[in-house]
Amino acid sequence: MKRAEVKEKALALWENDRARLVFEQPFIGMLAMQLELQPVVDGALPTAATDGRTVFGNANFLCRLSDEDRLFVLAHEVWHCAALHHLRRQGRDTVRWNHAVDYEVNGLLAETGMTVPKGALYRRHWRGWSAESIYEVLPEDLTDEGRGRFRDRHTWRAPSLGRSDPDLCPRPDERIWKGWQQRVVGAWQQVQARGHGGRGIGRLPGVMGSLVRSLTRPQVPWQTVLRRYLVPRLDPGRRQWTTPNRRYLSRELYLPGPARERVDLAVAIDTSGSTQDYLPAFLAELRGIAGQWPDTRIRLIQADADIQSDEYVTAADLRPEMILKGGGGTDFRPVFEALKSDPPRVLVYFTDGFGQLPGRHEVEALDVVWVIWRDTITIKCRYGAVVTTGQPLSLWQ
């Protein structure tokens, strides 16, 4: 069979495998749909590999495998991306780490009910262990060949080293791997939403469950950030009869006590096309904000080039599977226009910072906390930095 024919056959088989994953394992199948499939005929790649954009597979190797083993190989590569193995290595020895992540991935797949092929790294008693824990108990004198006939490529050297098939063109990029954090959360939220519609969502193994939970936790100390702007606007001397002063109740004196804190907060989410990868993170941070005042109604505005939704929500309304509306261009002005008639004490605006800005005088009429998401998080109030997890960034630069 000619090279082009075997590659075409392998691609058809792998595309069928991916469709099967979507049906049988919706979470990992949804992630598989975000990767290109590229069979190659090249001795530099005897099995399979991924660079975070594309899954490469040796076409002859794939065509020789049984349907179950070939499905396993595809799921194995997708799990490497989903489990963020490239980001988690952090200077560990490459060969030991390659063994550890294969043990973790194959254990994850076994937990979902898939059969681990003979010759692949797998120990039943390590199921549920993280790659970091497995790494610590592995011997130091391992060789890459010890990973068996299913060993895949986890690292890439010089792009032209020993490659004869031009389709074997990996493009490793740190930004692509970082983007998988939001892909994982987004896929989990979509699968959860579909599951609430009556469709089974599949089993999420323990290690991945822990990873998803960590990625959906807010990263910003919102109580500290927002109280810095809310508290000065509260009247500490204000009293009200509905909150009696407890110091005098024992003397049978009913005197007014301090007024309860009233949180007047609006949150705007930029739902434009350029922020789609960030929306799961935006939701996680929004839940972090609402969790500080669970019973308080927060005005939530979803907007791209126009207002897509304007409603009041509480923490109970912000479900993980909530789907945001948008996908168009970006214009910040409609949000500020909508708030003119009933301005909040503080507006928190989640965005990537790209869009049509209102005039400074319109922004200065409100206390605005800009939460700017790109590769890192930068938080600014008006034009001065509040909390920064990356380099300071100005919308007006």
Side-chain angles (χ1 to χ4, degrees), residues 285-304:
E285 300 303 324
L286 175 58
R287 289 197 296 273
I289 293 172
Q292 304 303 319
W293 302 281
D295 299 323
T296 297
R297 298 170 73 238
I298 295 173
R299 186 172 179 180
L300 173 62
I301 301 176
Q302 302 177 41
D304 46 19

Side-chain angles (χ1 to χ4, degrees), residues 68 71 115 128 133 159 163 176 229 236 259 265 304 310 324 387 389:
E68 295 303 315
L71 181 73
T115 301
S133 298
R163 298 177 197 168
I176 295 298
Y229 298 98
L265 177 67
D304 46 19
D310 187 347
L324 299 179
V387 174
T389 59

Side-chain angles (χ1 to χ4, degrees), residues 233-388:
R233 289 157 183 76
L234 301 174
D235 181 1
R238 189 165 59 91
R239 301 279 169 170
Q240 61 181 21
W241 288 98
T242 54
T243 307
N245 193 321
R246 295 183 179 180
R247 293 177 59 186
Y248 296 95
L249 288 178
S250 61
R251 305 180 194 177
E252 297 185 354
L253 294 175
Y254 192 86
L255 299 175
R260 290 181 179 177
E261 179 181 308
R262 183 170 62 89
V263 178
D264 186 7
L265 177 67
V267 175
I269 295 183
D270 173 3
T271 59
S272 63
S274 63
T275 67
Q276 295 303 299
D277 288 343
Y278 306 136
L279 295 184
F282 289 172
L283 277 175
E285 300 303 324
L286 175 58
R287 289 197 296 273
I289 293 172
Q292 304 303 319
W293 302 281
D295 299 323
T296 297
R297 298 170 73 238
I298 295 173
R299 186 172 179 180
L300 173 62
I301 301 176
Q302 302 177 41
D304 46 19
D306 203 352
I307 303 291
Q308 298 297 327
S309 174
D310 187 347
E311 58 185 336
Y312 283 88
V313 299
T314 64
D317 300 316
L318 303 175
R319 302 178 304 278
E321 66 273 10
M322 181 178 179
I323 303 297
L324 299 179
K325 305 170 185 176
T330 310
D331 192 334
F332 301 118
R333 295 174 297 180
V335 170
F336 287 86
E337 186 65 31
L339 295 175
K340 274 185 179 179
S341 60
D342 186 17
R345 292 181 178 179
V346 174
L347 166 65
V348 178
Y349 209 129
F350 290 96
T351 178
D352 61 356
F354 298 109
Q356 182 65 48
L357 290 160
R360 285 180 181 246
H361 66 282
E362 295 181 78
V363 178
E364 289 176 338
L366 296 172
D367 282 313
V368 186
V369 178
W370 294 96
V371 184
I372 305 170
W373 234 277
R374 291 186 188 172
D375 289 336
T376 54
I377 309 167
T378 300
I379 301 177
K380 305 176 78 62
C381 185
R382 290 188 177 175
Y383 309 109
V386 178
V387 174
T388 306

Side-chain angles (χ1 to χ4, degrees), residues 131-150:
E132 289 82 358
S133 298
I134 296 170
Y135 179 91
E136 294 302 322
V137 300
L138 288 173
E140 296 182 3
D141 57 346
L142 296 170
T143 63
D144 209 47
E145 288 72 19
R147 292 166 55 214
R149 71 185 185 96
F150 282 91

Side-chain angles (χ1 to χ4, degrees), residues 23 31 56 88 108 124 182 209 240 277 321 326 330 372:
F23 180 76
L31 290 172
F56 301 95
R88 289 164 54 191
L108 288 169
R124 183 177 179 83
Q182 300 312 323
Q240 61 181 21
D277 288 343
E321 66 273 10
T330 310
I372 305 170

